[in-house]
Each structure stands twice: as C-alpha cells, then as structure tokens.
Amino acid sequence: MDLRDDARALSDDLVRLRRSLHRIPETGLELPRTQEAVLAELDGLPLEVSTGDGLSSVTAVLRGAASGPVVLLRGDMDALPVAERTGVDFAADNGRMHACGHDLHTSMLVGAARLLAAHRDRLAGDVVFMFQPGEEGYDGARYMLAEGLLEAAGRRPVAAYALHVLSAGPASGVFETRGGPMMSASNVLRVTVRGVGGHGAMPHRAKDPLPAACAMVTALQAWITRSFDVFDPVILSVGTFHAGTQQNVIPETAAFQATVRSFSAAAQARVKDGTVEVCRGVAAAHGVAVDAEFVEMYPVTVNDEAEAEFAAHAVREALGEERFAPRPHPVPASEDFSRVLDEVPGAMLMLGAPPAGADPAKSPNNHSPLAEFDDAVLADGAAVYAELAVRRLAQGRAPVAPAP
C-alpha cells in the first residue's frame, strides 16, 4: 500500500481541519468543541469510538483483518493560554493559541485513521487512536490511562508512537528521534521563606526573609553545577519571585518557584531530595523558617531503543533518507506521553515544521505567540503515523532490526 500517495490525496482536507481547529483553541482537560470536531471527522469510519468520563478524550479502535497485536498512536489536542500574534488569517482571537502545534497532531492522527481504515483488510492487528486533552500541564495521559486506554482494544498495545511538530530547529518535513531519554522530566520547586517583618531602617530587629530567599536561588544553582554529571544534567530555572509591598518595609515572607528538569530516574531522585535540603540549610544559616516542596509532574520520556530504531527505519524507507536525522540530544522540555512509554515500549518522534521560507534556526519557538507551523507537513505526518502502525503490526510482538 502506498500510504504516502494516499496521504497526499487527503492533504487539502487535513489543512482545512488543522486551520479550523486552530481557530477554536481550548485548554486543559475539557475541550468540547475540539472533541466534537474530532468525532465529526471520524464519523463513518469503521472505528469503535469512546469518549472520556473525566476529560474530553477520544479513543478509537480500528480492527484489522487478521488477529494480531495492537499498536497505539497518540495525538494531543489542547492549546495554551497564549494570545496569538501571528497575523495569519485563521488566527485564534479568544486569548488562547495552538502555539505548540497540537492542532497539527490532531489533524495528522485523523488522517492516519482515514488511511488505515481504507486499508484495514491488510492490517495484521488492531490500532488504537489516542486523541488526548490536557497535555499542557494537566497530565491528560494519566487520566486516559486510568480510564482504561491500554485495554481499549481488549489487548494491551505492543508499541506506542507519537509525533510532535517543532516550529524551529529541524527543517520542515525532517523527522528526528533517538533511543533512550527523549524529553526531560518536569518538576516544580515551591519555596516560601518565613521571617519576621519590620522597619527597613532597623533590619537587626527583624528576620529578613529576602536575603535568605536570594541566597537559596544562588545556592541551588551552585549545588546543581557541582553535584550532577554534565552528561546526566539537571536544569533549574526560577520563574517567579515575590516579596514585599513597600521599599521601607521588611516583609514577613518571600516566595519563589522554579522549574526543575532532569533526564534520568537517578538524577530525578537526587534533585528531589537535594533541592529541599539546600533550602533548609540556607534557612538555618539565616535564622528563618522555610517551607520547601518538590512537586513531581511528568517523568522522563524514554524511547525504547529498538522501537526508536524501528521508527527511524520506517521513516527512511517511506519518505527517503534525507527525511530523517538522528537526534543527538534529548529535548529539554517535557511530555506526559512519558506515562504511556512507561507502560508500553515505543517512541516519540519530532517533526520539523517551521513556516515555508523561514530560517529554522531563527523561527519563533513552540509556545511563542508568534509560533507558526507549515501545513505542508500534515500529509507526511499522517503517512508516517500510518506507516508505523502497518509496519509494526506486520512484525508481531517485537520489532525486527533493520538489515544492515
């Protein structure tokens, strides 16, 4: 089956769908209009469709002609609370934006469902299509797993794949992946320093929380650079710092929050305990109290080595050698697809999608209000989703290493 040619025939429909989704961005776990649009696009296909109880998810199962394994394909659907400033004629105007390209993911997965449904008589197993809300900080994958996603086909998947577009970095149409850590874990460090307020002219009669909080920020940076291997890195960035109401008043409290990223379970465990200990030690030295909380959000996204190699080979064979580039390093952003990959071997792939004519190195990045994506990647993204399912089902329960 020539899925790439079939996908090209769907290109106009996929562009239409992507742009209509772009106009109605929704955030969080409840995406009623987006869910309605997806259900309308899947209507009439030979799918077993179910929706989530606690979130606006859509799970669709396609039964192949032969009884065999199950493969899962995922596309996330939610947007960000970002006011769009791209100026495109299909821009959103509701203070939200598909600034991370999930409208493309959803459209490509719809395209894959259509492609595979048209060739279901040649599928050596079943395919689960995972249309997921709440990737952007709401842990939607965890909710879908809890609601039985992996049992949707009656058998657990043997492999799971996801695509993620990038508005900057790889050239448009180039796929990337790697075995092992693919994206970082995401955590939050929340710190409140409690002292004794007083007059700014008499600091000796107060216990100023501000110098202690400032010392914690610098101590955390020094501790990380001197405690972790540069080849198993940790990133800590303070994003908020709040204290005080007036220049001559020593406040009672100072608070800050940081994002903490790591790329291995071992580093994650060490940074969890270590950051809290650093804050407590600095507080003790300053004679103030501290509440330090390390909140784990998304784990490291780890690609199965064999599945990543299989996916790379599938892209090369389907689209050509020039359309795949090995990714040398993980992406220092995070994904709740990590939760699926903790349960099922599989791979996350990146797809370059900077706008036509733009310099990929200078294009606004994902999450920017100026981020734009190239609709030209939609057909090949749908084709790759479908190719991964077809080829993986044909191989049975374990991927076969490509010939040298």
PDB file of all heavy atoms in Angstrom, residues 25 94 189 213 329:
ATOM      1  N   PRO A  25      -9.065  27.228  19.713  1.00  0.00           N
ATOM      2  CA  PRO A  25      -8.210  26.574  20.708  1.00  0.00           C
ATOM      3  C   PRO A  25      -8.884  26.493  22.071  1.00  0.00           C
ATOM      4  O   PRO A  25      -9.542  27.434  22.521  1.00  0.00           O
ATOM      5  CB  PRO A  25      -6.976  27.482  20.755  1.00  0.00           C
ATOM      6  CG  PRO A  25      -7.488  28.835  20.346  1.00  0.00           C
ATOM      7  CD  PRO A  25      -8.543  28.552  19.314  1.00  0.00           C
ATOM      8  N   ASN A  94      -9.405  34.271  20.950  1.00  0.00           N
ATOM      9  CA  ASN A  94     -10.032  34.081  22.257  1.00  0.00           C
ATOM     10  C   ASN A  94      -9.034  34.056  23.411  1.00  0.00           C
ATOM     11  O   ASN A  94      -9.340  33.592  24.504  1.00  0.00           O
ATOM     12  CB  ASN A  94     -10.863  32.791  22.270  1.00  0.00           C
ATOM     13  CG  ASN A  94     -10.021  31.526  22.058  1.00  0.00           C
ATOM     14  OD1 ASN A  94      -8.817  31.618  21.811  1.00  0.00           O
ATOM     15  ND2 ASN A  94     -10.643  30.369  22.153  1.00  0.00           N
ATOM     16  N   LEU A 189       9.686  23.242  42.034  1.00  0.00           N
ATOM     17  CA  LEU A 189      10.148  23.504  43.395  1.00  0.00           C
ATOM     18  C   LEU A 189       9.445  24.764  43.892  1.00  0.00           C
ATOM     19  O   LEU A 189       9.586  25.832  43.290  1.00  0.00           O
ATOM     20  CB  LEU A 189      11.667  23.702  43.427  1.00  0.00           C
ATOM     21  CG  LEU A 189      12.261  24.041  44.804  1.00  0.00           C
ATOM     22  CD1 LEU A 189      12.091  22.881  45.782  1.00  0.00           C
ATOM     23  CD2 LEU A 189      13.732  24.436  44.672  1.00  0.00           C
ATOM     24  N   ALA A 213      16.061  34.078  50.864  1.00  0.00           N
ATOM     25  CA  ALA A 213      15.491  33.554  49.627  1.00  0.00           C
ATOM     26  C   ALA A 213      16.444  33.759  48.452  1.00  0.00           C
ATOM     27  O   ALA A 213      16.621  32.875  47.604  1.00  0.00           O
ATOM     28  CB  ALA A 213      14.147  34.212  49.353  1.00  0.00           C
ATOM     29  N   HIS A 329      20.727  14.725  21.081  1.00  0.00           N
ATOM     30  CA  HIS A 329      20.481  15.004  22.491  1.00  0.00           C
ATOM     31  C   HIS A 329      18.979  15.022  22.763  1.00  0.00           C
ATOM     32  O   HIS A 329      18.172  15.297  21.868  1.00  0.00           O
ATOM     33  CB  HIS A 329      21.073  16.359  22.892  1.00  0.00           C
ATOM     34  CG  HIS A 329      22.512  16.521  22.540  1.00  0.00           C
ATOM     35  ND1 HIS A 329      23.508  15.750  23.106  1.00  0.00           N
ATOM     36  CD2 HIS A 329      23.137  17.349  21.655  1.00  0.00           C
ATOM     37  CE1 HIS A 329      24.678  16.098  22.590  1.00  0.00           C
ATOM     38  NE2 HIS A 329      24.473  17.067  21.708  1.00  0.00           N
TER      39      HIS A 329
END
